[in-house]
Amino acid sequence: MNRILALNPGATSTKFAVFDDEQPILQRTVEHQGSELQGFARICDQANYRLELITAALDAESIPLSSLHAVVGRGGLLKPLIGGTYGVSEAMLADLRAGARGEHASNLGGIIADAFAQPLGITAFIVDPVSVDEMEPEARLSGHPEVPRNSLSHALNSKAVARHAAAEVGKSYAELNLVIAHLGSGISVTAHRYGRMI
């Protein structure tokens, strides 16, 4: 059995869960009121605050950090990447902290995952970061040649829904063509062709 801590930092909440293999044993959402985060100059400055909230919740549920085998965080605004799972590296952490592609709460996923993993000697990962770029050349057309469309999306949610839909019909994600709508604070729609967002 592998025990995994999964982290999903958002603008107004921190969601986290602990899984024994695929079985959730703890799921929490900590809502952040506006005043709680106002004292932080930059998003990356919130890392220790959120880490302490998660640590306190794990302690209250008698889940020792030493029982973890891996930590996975929501991927942030990195350089364009193909969808998938990536080990957190020093170069990735530097990019997330710098916020070169933008300040976003998802940048905290890899930072907090690494902060948990390093002292335990386990691996930290991110999955399907916001910067997943699998767009085909035609999808980059915007109507003006000097303003190409960039790929920034809710790739984690979109790909998870696509994989779930594939499992429901007894097929693999790579066999299907899908259109996925993400209904969060705004509506985003992504198309998936044969296991890739396009």
Side-chain angles (χ1 to χ4, degrees):
M1 176 190 69
N2 290 303
R3 179 165 285 179
I4 299 167
L5 171 61
L7 313 168
N8 185 350
T12 60
S13 69
T14 302
K15 297 176 184 172
F16 56 97
V18 177
F19 293 84
D20 283 346
D21 291 330
E22 294 186 24
Q23 180 66 38
I25 62 167
L26 172 71
Q27 296 180 22
R28 290 284 187 275
T29 299
V30 177
E31 301 289 340
H32 305 299
Q33 305 305 319
S35 60
E36 292 174 356
L37 301 180
Q38 286 179 351
F40 298 102
R42 298 187 57 232
I43 297 239
C44 65
D45 298 336
Q46 300 171 15
N48 285 337
Y49 166 74
R50 294 188 193 220
L51 183 137
E52 289 171 9
L53 289 173
I54 298 164
T55 302
L58 295 175
D59 188 50
E61 295 293 329
S62 299
I63 298 174
L65 294 178
S66 61
S67 69
L68 299 175
H69 295 98
V71 185
V72 61
R74 177 182 182 194
L77 296 171
L78 295 163
K79 295 170 183 153
L81 300 166
I82 298 296
T85 301
Y86 294 87
V88 175
S89 67
E90 287 303 320
M92 180 188 291
L93 290 170
D95 284 351
L96 292 170
R97 288 184 182 115
R101 289 200 76 197
E103 291 275 334
H104 191 271
S106 62
N107 290 359
L108 291 167
I111 294 169
I112 298 172
D114 185 70
F116 273 110
Q118 283 292 334
L120 298 170
I122 60 177
T123 306
F125 299 96
I126 62 161
V127 178
D128 293 331
V130 177
S131 60
V132 164
D133 186 349
E134 298 174 350
M135 292 172 69
E136 295 185 10
E138 298 82 5
R140 297 188 190 284
L141 299 175
S142 69
H144 193 286
E146 294 179 22
V147 186
R149 290 180 62 233
N150 291 320
S151 180
L152 290 174
S153 69
H154 291 278
L156 181 65
N157 302 32
S158 180
K159 283 184 169 267
V161 168
R163 290 184 189 106
H164 182 76
E168 280 191 359
V169 298
K171 300 219 179 231
S172 73
Y173 173 44
E175 295 177 273
L176 299 179
N177 294 323
L178 302 163
V179 174
I180 307 291
H182 177 80
L183 307 174
S185 56
I187 297 174
S188 64
V189 177
T190 57
H192 297 248
R193 184 184 318 168
Y194 307 121
R196 292 186 64 186
M197 293 175 59
I198 57 171

